[in-house]
Amino acid sequence: MKHYLEEIATVFADVKSTENGLSSAEAEKRLLQNGKNKLAEGKKDSLFKRFMAQLSDPMIIILIVAAVISAVTEFYAVSGTETRFFPTDTLIIAIVVIINSVLGVFQESKAEKAIEALQEMSAATTKVIRDCYIITIKSEDLVVGDVILLEAGDAVPADCRIIECASMKIEEAALTGESVPVDKIVKTLMGEGTSEITLGDRKNMVYMGSVVVYGRGKAVVVATGMKTEVGKIASAIASAEEGETPLQKKLSQLSKILTILVLGVCVFIFAFSLFMNWSKITTGTSTEIFNHVLDVFMIAVSLAVAAIPEGLVAVVTIVLSIGVTNMSKKNAIIRKLTAVETLGCTEIICSDKTGTLTQNKMTVTDKYASDEKLLAECLALCSDAEISNDCVVTGEPTEAALVVYANSLSLNKNDLMLKAPRIGEVPFDSARKMMSTVHSYGGETGELIQYTKGAPDEVIELCSHAAIDGEIVPLTKEIKEKILAENKRMADKALRVLAGACKNYDFAPKSYLPEVLENNLTFLGLAGMIDPVRPEVRDAIIECRDAGITPIMITGDHKDTAAAIALELGIIESSDDAITGAQLSAMSDEEFNEQVGHIRVYARVQPDHKTRIVNAWKNNGYITAMTGDGVNDAPSIKNADIGVSMGITGTDVTKNVSDMVLADDNFATIVSAVAEGRRVYDNIKKTIQFLLGSNLSEVLSIFFATLLGFVILEPVHLLFINLVTDCFPALALGLEKPESDIMKRKPRSPKSSIFSGGVGVDIVYQGLIVTVLTLAAYFIGEFLQTGVWKFMNISLEDGAEGITMAFLTMSMCEIFHSFNMRSQRKSVIAMELKGNNNKFLYGAMLASLIFTTLVIEVPFLANAFGFTAINLKEYAISMALAFSVIPIVEIVKAFQRRRVKRA
C-alpha cells in the first residue's frame, strides 16, 4: 500500500492498529513474527578467504608458477653435488606474492561496513503508545502498527505515516538530497500522478534515518527493518556487484597472453630440442637418456623463466601505492588500490548537488529592503536559531542562515535578544506559512514590536503599509507590484525567498492567536537564500571539460533550483537539459539508454534513480564516477566504476562503499585525483612496456641460442635480471612526472588494449634490439676468449666469458633502455637537456650497475652464478653495446614522430 495516498483510517486498517497504539501482547506477537526493527547483517568473508581471493589473480598465479619453476631450476642446479639445496629465488618470489596479497587485503574494504553504519543511524530509543500509555522502548523493538511520538531532536526510528503534526520539520538530506528541512503535513496527498510521488515530496510520511529539527508530531509505523526505505538502500548496497577495473581487465588479458606465450614457446622449444638431439637420446643408456631429456626440459624452463615478468605485479602494486600516497597528500583518500588507475580513465562524473557541488549551508545571497538592517533584525529575532559566543549558529538551516545574515551586518542575535526579549509568539504553521514573535524593547517608552516572517505571497497580503526611505507609507498597488516583481526576480534565480514585516503596539496583545496578530502589518523587505555553490567548483568543472570529462548533476532538490545551480556552474546551457525523477520513471530502460547522453541534470530523484543513471552510462560503455555524501547516494556510489564520498559531511555508509573519500569535501579535489590517476596509468603502461620488452629480449636470446646450439644465459641469470636489475628502473618509471598535456586530452577508452597506440610494435622492435646487442656481446666474448669466431655448438665451458659479457650487456642494456621509456615518442635526450629528468631513474641505474658488477666481480658470487672474470676492455665493450640502445631508439623515435607529423 502507498500509505501517503490513503486516508489515516485506511492506513490504520491496513496495519491493524488504532490511534491508541498496540497492546504489549500484540506488539510482542508481531515482533516474533516479523523480527526486530534493524537492518540485516552483511555477509563477512574470513580473512583467509580474502587472502586466497588475492591469490586467484592471474598475474599472481603466474608468479606462483614462476616460483615452482625456480625451485625446480635450483634443485636441478645443485643435484649431483654436495651443495645444500636452498631455493633463494623461490623465496624471493614467494615474498613478492605474499606482500602483494597482504597489501590487497589491507587496502580493500568490504560492503558489510556500510550495513553496520546504516544500523548505527537508527534511533536508540523511541516514545511509543502501548496499552494506552506513553512509554520509551528500544527502537529495534518497534513493530508495524505502533504509534510513536516525535519532537525536535528525535531520530526517526522507522517509516511512518503522520497522524498529528504541529509545525514539524524533518531533515531528510541524507535520504533525498533535499537541502532544507521538509515541512510535514497530515492530509492525504491527492492530485494527478500521485502514484509517482517521489520520496522527497511525500510530506505526510517520515522515514528511518531522518531527523526532526522543529516542531512535534505523532505517527503510525508502516514499515520496519529491511522493508524501510533505508532497508531498501541496504539491500541495494548488498546486491551491487563490483566489476573489474580497466587495469584489472588489461592485466587479466596480459596474463592470458603471457600464459599462452609461455606454454607455446616452451612446448615448441622442448619438441625442437628433442628433435635436434634425437640421435643422442636414442643411442645412450637410460641414465644418459634421462639426463638429455632433463637438459631439454631445463632449456624450456629457461624460456618460461625468461617469459614471465616476475616483478610486474609487485611493481604495479607499488606504483599504485605511491599514487595512493600522493593523492592522500592532496586530500583524496583512496580505499582501493585499483581505483587510482580507474580515475584516470573516468569519462562521466555523476555528482550529488547538496554538499558536493554546493556548501550544504543555506546562505542569504540577495535582498530587497529600504532599510537592510531593520529587515535583518526582524528576520533574526523572528527565528529560533541560536548563536554561540564564538559565532557558531545552530538551528533549522533556513533560520540559521537568517541569523548568520544579521551577524554579518554586526547584528548579533544574543545582543538583539538582550535589547528586545521575546514576550510572545505564534509558531510557524505550514498552513499559514509564517511565524510571528513579539518583543519588548523596554526603556522609558516600553515599545513593543511584532516581527513576522514567512512566504512573500502570504505575508504581503497581510500588509497595509511599507517601510520606504525611513518612512511608513501606505502599501499602494504600485509598491506592491514592485515587491512582487522583486520576489519573482529572486525566485527565478531559484532562491528561497522570505518576507519580513512588523507591527507596533502600545500595550501587550491580550491574545497571541494568528488572527489577532497577523494583520495590518508593515512590509520591511525580502531576503533570498540558497545553498550556494562551492567557489572552487566552477574552475573544477571547466578543467573537467578540458579533460574530456562530462559532469552530471543529480539531486533531490526541485528542478528550478537544480537548473539554476547547473547553469551557474556551466554544467548545462539550457534548463531543457534537466529532467525530474518522475520523468525518468516514465522512461523505459531502452529509451533511457538512448536519451542518457543528452541529459545533464536530474532533479527530485530517488535512490533507485541514481543507480539507474549510473548503470545507464555504464551500459553505454562509459567509465562512470559517482560522488555524494548522503545515505541515498550509497547504492549508486557502489555501482559506479569509481565511487567518491565526502569525508566531512559524508555519512559512514557512503564512505564504507566508496573507492575514494574526499577529506576536504572539495569537488575540485577530484580533478587533481583524476590527473594523478592518469599519471599513474601512463607510468604503469611505461613500466609494462619496459618489462615486457626486457622479457621478450630474454626469450628471443634463449630461443636463438637454442637454435644455434649453445647456452647464452642460465635460468638463475634471468631471475636475477627480472627480479633485481629490472625492478629498480621499473619502479623509477612509476615515479615519472606527468606529461604537460595530461589534462588536455580525452580519457582513454576502457576498451583500448594495453598494446594500443603502437606499444605492441615498440615492445617487439625494442626487444629485438636488446636481443641483437646481447647476442653480439656473447659472440665478442667468445671470440676474445678463443680467438676464433664461432657461432654454433659452443660448449658451456668455452662460452663462459661470452655468457658473462651477455649477462652484463643485457642487464645494463635494459637499464639504459628504461630512459627511453620515459616517453613513448618524445626524445629522451631533449627531455634531459631541458632539465626534465627523473632523479629516481638515475638512482635505479646506479643501484642496478652496482648489483650487476658485484655478481660478476665478487668471486663467491661469480662462482654461484657461473661467471668468469672479465677485463676492463671486455667490460667497456659490454657497456658500450648496452648504451647504444639509447641512440638506436632515438633514431627510430625520430622517424615515428616524422611519420605522425606527416599523417
Side-chain angles (χ1 to χ4, degrees):
M1 174 183 285
K2 293 183 173 66
H3 297 97
Y4 49 90
L5 299 178
E6 303 296 338
E7 297 293 337
I8 292 175
T10 306
V11 173
F12 273 122
D14 180 62
V15 299
K16 297 180 176 60
S17 183
T18 68
E19 290 187 6
N20 294 323
L22 301 173
S23 65
S24 297
E26 177 63 20
E28 185 67 27
K29 178 182 175 183
R30 295 187 184 191
L31 189 64
L32 291 173
Q33 287 178 341
N34 303 318
K36 288 188 176 291
N37 176 37
K38 61 180 185 179
L39 304 181
E41 296 283 348
K43 295 181 179 180
K44 298 181 181 180
D45 290 333
S46 66
L47 189 63
F48 176 76
K49 186 175 180 180
R50 295 180 190 180
F51 184 80
M52 293 306 294
Q54 295 290 326
L55 295 180
S56 65
D57 184 272
M59 290 301 294
I60 296 294
I61 293 173
I62 286 184
L63 280 181
I64 294 172
V65 170
V68 173
I69 291 173
S70 179
V72 172
T73 302
E74 294 193 37
F75 178 77
Y76 172 75
V78 301
S79 61
T81 72
E82 295 182 359
T83 306
R84 185 167 177 264
F85 170 63
F86 185 77
T88 306
D89 298 307
T90 302
L91 184 61
I92 293 173
I93 297 174
I95 291 172
V96 170
V97 169
I98 292 171
I99 290 175
N100 183 77
S101 299
V102 169
L103 277 174
V105 171
F106 179 77
Q107 195 74 23
E108 296 183 2
S109 299
K110 298 298 179 180
E112 71 268 4
K113 289 186 178 180
I115 307 298
E116 292 169 4
L118 277 169
Q119 291 169 337
E120 292 173 3
M121 287 186 62
S122 302
T125 60
T126 303
K127 290 179 182 177
V128 61
I129 299 176
R130 292 269 178 92
D131 301 316
C132 297
Y133 291 99
I134 297 175
I135 62 172
T136 301
I137 64 171
K138 290 182 178 179
S139 296
E140 65 179 25
D141 292 333
L142 279 177
V143 296
V144 172
D146 267 327
V147 175
I148 64 171
L149 282 72
L150 298 169
E151 58 186 31
D154 287 348
V156 179
D159 290 1
C160 312
R161 170 71 155 86
I162 299 171
I163 59 175
E164 288 184 15
C165 180
S167 304
M168 188 165 64
K169 295 184 180 182
I170 304 290
E171 173 64 70
E172 296 179 340
L175 281 172
T176 66
E178 181 72 59
S179 56
V180 295
V182 179
D183 295 321
K184 292 298 179 179
I185 60 176
V186 174
K187 69 178 182 180
T188 303
L189 300 182
M190 303 290 288
E192 184 180 353
T194 51
S195 60
E196 296 298 331
I197 291 176
T198 61
L199 199 66
D201 290 325
R202 298 172 192 170
K203 295 188 175 183
N204 57 5
M205 298 286 292
V206 291
Y207 294 100
M208 177 190 282
S210 57
V211 179
V212 183
V213 296
Y214 190 87
R216 58 181 176 79
K218 187 185 291 185
V220 58
V221 176
V222 296
T224 61
M226 293 300 289
K227 294 182 179 179
T228 63
E229 292 297 328
V230 169
K232 294 175 184 176
I233 293 174
S235 298
I237 293 172
S239 62
E241 296 182 0
E242 296 183 15
E244 285 187 320
T245 68
L247 180 62
Q248 287 173 323
K249 291 176 181 177
K250 288 177 175 61
L251 290 180
S252 295
Q253 293 168 357
L254 180 59
S255 299
K256 293 174 182 177
I257 292 171
L258 288 176
T259 301
I260 295 170
L261 176 67
V262 169
L263 292 176
V265 173
C266 288
V267 169
F268 172 77
I269 289 297
F270 184 74
F272 179 80
S273 298
L274 282 178
F275 175 77
M276 294 295 291
N277 293 278
W278 187 252
S279 59
K280 294 181 181 178
I281 295 173
T282 55
T283 58
T285 64
S286 57
T287 303
E288 290 174 336
I289 291 173
F290 174 78
N291 289 333
H292 282 308
V293 173
L294 193 57
D295 286 338
V296 172
F297 173 74
M298 290 315 300
I299 292 172
V301 166
S302 297
L303 272 172
V305 173
I308 299 172
E310 288 85 357
L312 178 58
V313 172
V315 168
V316 168
T317 301
I318 292 170
V319 171
L320 288 173
S321 298
I322 292 170
V324 168
T325 302
N326 290 340
M327 287 187 179
S328 66
K329 293 176 181 177
K330 300 176 183 177
N331 294 313
I333 301 168
I334 301 297
R335 300 179 68 251
K336 298 182 180 179
L337 281 177
T338 49
V340 178
E341 175 271 338
T342 310
L343 273 166
C345 57
T346 298
E347 298 165 285
I348 306 295
I349 298 180
C350 297
S351 176
D352 183 51
K353 178 186 75 69
T354 306
T356 307
L357 297 173
T358 64
Q359 300 174 28
N360 198 18
K361 181 175 67 176
M362 293 298 288
T363 304
V364 175
T365 59
D366 202 350
K367 88 284 182 186
Y368 170 70
S370 178
D371 187 335
E372 185 179 2
K373 285 206 168 188
L374 181 57
L375 172 65
E377 184 171 339
C378 162
L379 297 176
L381 285 173
C382 189
S383 71
D384 292 324
E386 298 179 353
I387 186 169
S388 65
N389 292 332
D390 55 354
C391 294
V392 175
V393 179
T394 56
E396 192 269 336
T398 300
E399 294 195 333
L402 299 175
V403 172
V404 171
Y405 169 55
N407 197 60
S408 70
L409 298 174
S410 301
L411 296 172
N412 184 282
K413 185 180 178 181
N414 293 333
D415 296 337
L416 294 176
M417 290 295 288
L418 288 173
K419 181 176 71 171
R422 186 185 299 183
I423 63 172
E425 66 180 289
V426 183
F428 175 85
D429 181 273
S430 57
R432 293 170 23 253
K433 297 183 181 178
M434 67 183 71
M435 171 184 181
S436 296
T437 57
V438 180
H439 300 265
S440 171
Y441 276 77
E444 295 180 1
T445 60
E447 184 181 17
L448 299 176
I449 297 181
Q450 168 193 326
Y451 291 122
T452 298
K453 77 171 193 310
D457 291 344
E458 302 294 332
V459 172
I460 292 170
E461 289 301 316
L462 300 175
C463 291
S464 58
H465 292 75
I468 297 178
D469 297 331
E471 296 183 3
I472 305 300
V473 300
L475 184 64
T476 63
K477 181 181 179 181
E478 291 76 15
I479 295 175
K480 186 175 182 179
E481 288 177 350
K482 174 64 174 174
I483 295 170
L484 292 175
E486 286 295 318
N487 179 45
K488 183 178 184 302
R489 178 183 65 81
M490 294 187 198
D492 287 345
K493 296 195 298 182
L495 299 183
R496 184 175 188 182
V497 186
L498 289 179
C502 70
K503 183 178 181 181
N504 291 73
Y505 294 91
D506 293 327
F507 303 99
K510 294 182 180 179
S511 171
Y512 288 95
L513 294 174
E515 56 268 23
V516 174
L517 299 184
E518 294 169 348
N519 54 66
N520 295 317
L521 303 177
T522 298
F523 177 80
L524 297 178
L526 302 172
M529 65 194 75
I530 197 170
D531 179 13
V533 301
R534 294 178 177 273
E536 67 279 353
V537 169
R538 293 182 185 87
D539 291 338
I541 295 293
I542 293 172
E543 198 164 354
C544 280
R545 290 193 180 281
D546 288 343
I549 300 169
T550 302
I552 305 294
M553 178 194 288
I554 305 175
T555 179
D557 260 345
H558 292 279
K559 181 179 178 180
D560 290 344
T561 304
I565 295 291
L567 284 167
E568 183 180 355
L569 290 174
I571 293 176
I572 59 175
E573 296 179 357
S574 167
S575 57
D576 293 337
D577 294 330
I579 69 168
T580 64
Q583 290 173 290
L584 175 56
S585 295
M587 294 185 191
S588 65
D589 287 341
E590 293 75 15
E591 184 182 359
F592 182 49
N593 283 337
E594 292 178 3
Q595 294 293 324
V596 68
H598 305 291
I599 304 169
R600 295 292 180 267
V601 175
Y602 299 84
R604 305 306 282 171
V605 297
Q606 300 187 97
D608 60 314
H609 287 148
K610 297 188 176 188
T611 304
R612 190 179 175 196
I613 293 165
V614 168
N615 288 339
W617 280 108
K618 290 176 67 177
N619 291 339
N620 279 277
Y622 291 88
I623 298 298
T624 306
M626 170 69 190
T627 74
D629 57 357
V631 178
N632 60 329
D633 300 321
S636 53
I637 281 178
K638 189 177 179 186
N639 272 279
D641 294 295
I642 185 83
V644 184
S645 67
M646 302 296 120
I648 299 174
T649 60
T651 60
D652 287 343
V653 182
T654 53
K655 291 176 188 175
N656 287 332
V657 299
S658 65
D659 302 293
M660 181 174 80
V661 178
L662 302 182
D664 58 357
D665 281 16
N666 190 338
F667 180 86
T669 302
I670 299 174
V671 179
S672 60
V674 168
E676 179 65 18
R678 291 187 176 189
R679 184 191 72 84
V680 166
Y681 181 80
D682 281 358
N683 292 349
I684 286 176
K685 194 170 182 179
K686 293 171 186 175
T687 298
I688 291 174
Q689 181 179 345
F690 167 69
L691 291 175
L692 292 185
S694 299
N695 281 75
L696 180 62
S697 67
E698 295 166 17
V699 170
L700 293 176
S701 296
I702 297 293
F703 180 76
F704 289 125
T706 302
L707 292 181
L708 296 173
F710 63 88
V711 175
I712 189 168
L713 291 171
E714 299 280 0
V716 68
H717 303 154
L718 300 174
L719 278 171
F720 181 89
I721 293 172
N722 289 351
L723 290 174
V724 180
T725 306
D726 286 353
C727 281
F728 288 114
L731 287 172
L733 285 172
L735 297 170
E736 186 71 30
K737 297 174 185 176
E739 297 189 25
S740 57
D741 65 341
I742 198 163
M743 288 299 284
K744 297 294 182 182
R745 61 195 191 209
K746 292 182 179 180
R748 70 182 187 281
S749 170
K751 297 178 182 178
S752 64
S753 167
I754 210 161
F755 301 107
S756 62
V759 172
V761 175
D762 291 346
I763 289 174
V764 172
Y765 93 76
Q766 290 162 7
L768 280 169
I769 290 171
V770 177
T771 299
V772 171
L773 293 172
T774 302
L775 288 170
Y778 179 89
F779 292 130
I780 292 172
E782 194 277 333
F783 171 76
L784 292 174
Q785 181 180 358
T786 64
V788 178
W789 288 105
K790 190 175 181 181
F791 299 103
M792 296 185 68
N793 301 318
I794 305 169
S795 68
L796 193 60
E797 292 76 15
D798 291 341
E801 199 155 340
I803 289 175
T804 305
M805 287 186 66
F807 173 80
L808 177 60
T809 300
M810 176 171 280
S811 295
M812 295 315 301
C813 193
E814 293 180 4
I815 294 296
F816 290 127
H817 182 50
S818 65
F819 283 85
N820 291 323
M821 293 296 95
R822 293 191 60 203
S823 177
Q824 187 181 1
R825 292 291 178 262
K826 292 179 181 178
S827 167
V828 66
I829 295 176
M831 291 171 66
E832 293 291 335
L833 291 175
K834 291 178 181 179
N836 180 9
N837 50 51
N838 184 340
K839 60 183 180 181
F840 300 104
L841 205 52
Y842 282 101
M845 179 180 70
L846 181 61
S848 295
L849 177 60
I850 291 172
F851 282 119
T852 303
T853 303
L854 284 176
V855 297
I856 292 175
E857 299 298 335
V858 177
F860 78 91
L861 289 175
N863 290 333
F865 279 83
F867 294 140
T868 186
I870 59 175
N871 57 40
L872 185 59
K873 178 183 177 182
E874 293 166 332
Y875 193 91
I877 290 172
S878 296
M879 293 297 290
L881 286 169
F883 182 79
S884 66
V885 73
I886 291 180
I888 293 173
V889 173
E890 282 287 286
I891 292 170
V892 176
K893 282 185 179 181
F895 280 106
Q896 289 174 326
R897 289 194 299 271
R898 187 177 180 183
R899 184 183 62 189
V900 171
K901 189 175 181 180
R902 284 180 175 177

